[in-house]
Amino acid sequence: MKDRRRRRLGIAAVYLAAAFFTALGWLWSSLPAEIWLEPEQPLTLPRFGWVEPLRGVGSRNVASTRAVGSYQTTLALGGWLPVRRVRAVVTPRPEVKVCGTPFGVKMFSEGALIVGFSDLHTGQDTVNPAKQAGLHLGDRVVRMGGTSTQSNEEVSAALAAAQGGAVEVIFVRHGEQRRTVMTPAWDSAAGQWRAGMWVRDSSAGVGTLTFVDEKAGVFAGLGHPISDSDTGESVALRRGEIVACSIVGCTGGTAGSPGELKGKFLGSHALGSICINGENGVYGTTRTAFEGRTLPVAFAQEVETGEAEIWTTTQGETPRTYRVRIEKVRDADPCRNMVVRVTDPELLAKTGGIVQGMSGSPILQNGRLVGAVTHVLVNDPARGYGIFAQTMLKQAANVSETPTAAG
């Protein structure tokens, strides 16, 4: 009887230990790897009430530091049980010009993106040289033979130059450069050498400008990358620019069908150059002044569930303020940090909630910029995701290091 009780207690202890270490693993993965603070600002994490800097000898007390700089500290349960080593960045609180205005995007890709295939009729047979060479939808063809293929015209010129002979094709798939050999076929109907693939070398669209850092001469918008509409692949940036835009209409969103703002480019004068098309937005250098309001940026740990507002434009060029509620906040996902619900009756009546083109709309709470709208929840257009403003500001700081900005 005692042996049976002892066995049960042992099994229970094993399960409790497994549950404890599983919970610790979840907490480790949920905590941010980097925390920003103002000088003399205590290191507190409201979303993790039992977590604080490790107490005792050997731990840097970042909570009381006054010096600007970067420090390592250990976060611990109750201040005693170490959970994760993190980087604390002590910096004066940043301020940016918050916008919410629509802007047009023009981007030219690095290489010719394959967006479709079409079989060729040679007069005797039906062939597809591109497929036979192993090319896939979403591949970017960067060179054919001795010709760099940055445009549709250059692809056509390379095919013509091959005159039906085998040609080496250099392409990029999922960020990895590869090579294959393709033999163009004579399209008797078109009267030219072809590969049986449709390619695209540019992209254009409408988004929302989140903020401008006037001191650095940098803008940030969208909160997500510009992707090709046919392949879903992020456009590999060769060069790009933003232009003035006016919203002229809107298709409201419904469950299962995202809505869309319809914009019109206002002239060809570039307001700025795009330097980064990254997973958390588009960033670049400014060429002119922008309308907006200068506000402080909230650090990620300061964002909380509750009432907030977004600045967005549903008609013309001037943004308006609409009420939203931040329903969830999470640190683990680098691109989807918030779940936001539109509560403003006027915006719900106009758009049904969040629609395409609103990506980048600033989210404000307690007088600070906390983030930007990124995506709509397809089955619930009243709700969408948001990204921390801190994340976007950190990415914006990298603009000056890009070749596009330098050149």
Side-chain angles (χ1 to χ4, degrees):
M1 194 73 177
K2 289 183 179 179
D3 288 343
R4 186 180 300 172
R5 186 180 298 113
R6 191 178 297 113
R7 192 180 304 113
R8 287 177 178 173
L9 288 173
I11 293 172
V14 169
Y15 277 111
L16 285 173
F20 176 75
F21 285 109
T22 299
L24 274 185
W26 171 85
L27 182 58
W28 183 93
S29 64
S30 299
L31 288 168
E34 183 176 277
I35 300 168
W36 288 14
L37 302 165
E38 286 185 278
E40 301 187 66
Q41 180 182 4
L43 197 165
T44 58
L45 300 174
R47 293 192 290 279
F48 303 93
W50 292 91
V51 175
E52 58 185 88
L54 182 67
R55 302 172 189 171
V57 179
S59 175
R60 172 90 187 187
N61 187 6
V62 179
S64 62
T65 187
R66 298 182 180 183
V68 170
S70 176
Y71 307 91
Q72 293 292 321
T73 192
T74 300
L75 297 180
L77 272 177
W80 297 108
L81 179 63
V83 177
R84 182 167 187 173
R85 190 83 169 160
V86 300
R87 180 171 176 253
V89 178
V90 180
T91 178
R93 185 175 296 277
E95 290 188 342
V96 295
K97 180 174 280 188
V98 182
C99 300
T101 46
F103 69 119
V105 175
K106 298 178 181 179
M107 283 184 54
F108 296 89
S109 64
E110 183 180 355
L113 182 70
I114 300 177
V115 297
F117 294 97
S118 178
D119 292 342
L120 306 176
H121 302 285
T122 63
Q124 299 177 337
D125 202 358
T126 299
V127 297
N128 193 297
K131 283 185 177 180
Q132 291 166 357
L135 294 171
H136 294 175
L137 195 72
D139 289 347
R140 286 188 291 111
V141 179
V142 296
R143 180 171 291 276
M144 296 178 68
T147 303
S148 173
T149 51
Q150 302 289 354
S151 68
N152 300 338
E153 292 76 16
E154 288 171 341
V155 170
S156 297
L159 292 171
Q163 288 293 302
V167 60
E168 182 184 51
V169 178
I170 306 297
F171 64 98
V172 177
R173 178 181 296 165
H174 304 312
E176 178 185 345
Q177 185 167 291
R178 305 185 184 188
R179 68 175 296 277
T180 186
V181 175
M182 180 176 66
T183 303
W186 181 257
D187 185 344
S188 55
Q192 61 183 9
W193 295 102
R194 296 181 62 189
M197 61 184 184
W198 295 98
V199 297
R200 181 177 296 143
D201 59 10
S202 62
S203 180
V206 173
T208 301
L209 192 64
T210 308
F211 67 81
V212 173
D213 183 342
E214 293 185 306
K215 291 182 179 178
V218 169
F219 71 84
L222 293 188
H224 64 73
I226 296 173
S227 301
D228 181 77
S229 58
D230 290 304
T231 67
E233 293 285 327
S234 177
V235 176
L237 176 66
R238 174 163 54 97
R239 63 183 177 87
E241 60 188 27
I242 61 172
V243 298
C245 174
S246 177
I247 302 300
V248 296
C250 173
T251 301
T254 57
S257 178
E260 181 181 13
L261 294 177
K262 299 176 182 179
K264 178 179 69 174
F265 289 8
L266 301 177
S268 58
H269 173 69
L271 304 178
S273 298
I274 301 173
C275 302
I276 297 173
N277 180 34
E279 65 173 357
N280 46 37
V282 294
Y283 304 83
T285 55
T286 60
R287 300 186 191 177
T288 186
F290 291 83
E291 295 294 326
R293 181 179 166 196
T294 301
L295 292 172
V297 174
F299 298 141
Q301 74 274 9
E302 297 170 333
V303 184
E304 57 190 11
T305 57
E307 301 305 310
E309 62 186 42
I310 63 172
W311 294 1
T312 196
T313 307
T314 59
Q315 187 70 39
E317 305 166 55
T318 305
R320 292 188 56 185
T321 299
Y322 298 97
R323 296 192 304 276
V324 300
R325 180 174 181 82
I326 300 175
E327 295 187 328
K328 294 181 181 179
V329 184
R330 50 194 179 192
D331 298 85
D333 192 321
C335 300
R336 298 183 177 185
N337 305 123
M338 292 170 269
V339 175
V340 178
R341 176 183 290 276
V342 175
T343 58
D344 196 297
E346 186 177 353
L347 186 58
L348 289 170
K350 285 182 178 179
T351 65
I354 296 170
V355 297
Q356 296 176 40
M358 286 172 60
S359 297
S361 297
I363 306 171
L364 294 97
Q365 187 180 62
N366 301 322
R368 293 172 175 169
L369 175 67
V370 300
V373 173
T374 59
H375 298 81
V376 61
L377 272 66
V378 175
N379 292 324
D380 185 0
R383 301 165 73 220
Y385 292 110
I387 188 172
F388 288 143
Q390 174 182 306
T391 302
M392 296 183 73
L393 192 63
K394 186 176 178 181
Q395 181 68 78
N398 296 327
V399 166
S400 60
E401 300 174 7
T402 64
T404 307

